[in-house]
Amino acid sequence: MNVLVCLAAILFLLMVLIGGKKGARSFIALFLNFSVLLFTILIMTNPHANPIILTLIACTFISCINLFFINEVNNKTITAFVSTIITLAILLFFIVIVTDKTMIQGFGEEETEELSAFSLYLGVDFVKIGAAMIIMSTIGAIIDVAISISSPMRELYNHHPNVSRKELFTFGISIGRDILGTNTNTLFFAFFGGYLAMIIWFKDLSYSVGDIVNSKIFSAEMINILCAGIGIAMVIPITSWITAYYFDKTRGK
């Protein structure tokens, strides 16, 4: 507990020193996001709750916290918010289909020993739960890409008010191409960093490459990464178009 407090204090100090008031708001936003996720997960345990609806509501709150609470309400955060919600709605529909067809929901056989003492008859739809978890693990990257595109596009518009909508859109796409690879790789390395122990466990179990690839745990995480990468790729043109359209329509106001 003391280590957690010390690390949190160091993080808060660095965020305030570097980011000032915005850094302090970003630190508070961490706890707000955690509260939203925790509250949403608790409600999902109710058999009568719809995880898909809850996920959209939770992602909306998380987007508001990360965009409006940290960066305040302005034209760049509004366009980033709209782009994020549209991308999430499209991605959620796609993920539900993928989760259902690949049957990655539920628990893997490697987890049965730890779960043998518990009842698995929870009365919840694990397909929807699996889709909801993928969306929740993707929301941060989508918001990050959306604001990373809309912010420089606003700067370009402020310095060159006569820039055309096509030039603004092309500028946004150009920025998106630069950050597409790095964000996708970040998700990939985050998976291997978090599941390195699992990969070593697979080796101890004498799993072949085929066994590892077809393992439900490994497949679920890889599908998570691929869906998140698709979401990052989708949000780039959506944010570029919406931001360019918004600034072009509000030109001169």
Side-chain angles (χ1 to χ4, degrees), residues 57-109:
I57 296 174
C59 289
T60 302
F61 277 106
I62 292 172
S63 300
C64 291
I65 292 170
N66 291 342
L67 293 174
F68 300 135
F69 177 72
I70 297 176
N71 299 288
E72 301 179 348
V73 180
N74 49 58
N75 46 20
K76 69 177 181 181
T77 54
I78 291 175
T79 54
F81 176 78
V82 174
S83 304
T84 299
I85 297 302
I86 293 175
T87 304
L88 285 175
I90 299 174
L91 191 62
L92 186 58
F93 177 76
F94 172 76
I95 288 176
V96 169
I97 297 176
V98 171
T99 306
D100 184 37
K101 297 298 182 182
T102 56
M103 295 185 292
I104 60 172
Q105 70 276 4
F107 305 100
E109 59 182 8

Side-chain angles (χ1 to χ4, degrees), residues 116-238:
S116 59
F118 303 97
S119 174
L120 300 181
Y121 297 98
L122 303 179
V124 296
D125 190 338
F126 275 96
V127 175
K128 294 181 179 180
I129 292 291
M133 292 300 103
I134 295 176
I135 282 290
M136 286 186 180
S137 62
T138 307
I139 178 66
I142 293 178
I143 295 174
D144 179 56
V145 173
I147 194 65
S148 297
I149 293 176
S150 64
S151 181
M153 288 181 69
R154 187 185 72 163
E155 293 299 319
L156 175 65
Y157 178 79
N158 290 339
H159 288 84
H160 303 281
N162 295 324
V163 64
S164 66
R165 183 192 302 182
K166 182 179 179 180
E167 290 173 331
L168 272 174
F169 176 78
T170 304
F171 180 73
I173 293 293
S174 177
I175 296 172
R177 288 170 179 168
D178 292 336
I179 63 179
L180 176 61
T182 56
N183 278 270
T184 305
N185 281 321
T186 299
L187 296 171
F188 180 76
F189 289 120
F191 160 73
F192 274 96
Y195 283 83
L196 182 60
M198 183 191 70
I199 297 174
I200 296 175
W201 187 27
F202 283 157
K203 181 180 180 300
D204 292 337
L205 294 174
S206 300
Y207 274 25
S208 64
V209 176
D211 293 331
I212 295 175
V213 172
N214 288 284
S215 171
K216 179 178 286 189
I217 299 176
F218 184 85
S219 299
E221 292 304 321
M222 290 306 299
I223 290 175
N224 192 345
I225 295 173
L226 294 174
C227 290
I230 292 172
I232 292 174
M234 286 173 53
V235 76
I236 292 173
I238 292 175

Side-chain angles (χ1 to χ4, degrees), residues 16-68:
V16 171
L17 289 176
I18 297 174
K21 293 182 178 180
K22 185 174 290 187
R25 289 198 297 266
S26 300
F27 184 81
I28 297 174
L30 292 175
F31 296 94
L32 295 177
N33 290 330
F34 176 77
S35 301
V36 171
L37 289 177
L38 180 61
F39 184 71
T40 302
I41 292 173
L42 290 176
I43 298 179
M44 281 185 182
T45 58
N46 186 344
H48 301 290
N50 190 327
I52 303 299
I53 302 296
L54 291 175
T55 300
L56 287 177
I57 296 174
C59 289
T60 302
F61 277 106
I62 292 172
S63 300
C64 291
I65 292 170
N66 291 342
L67 293 174
F68 300 135

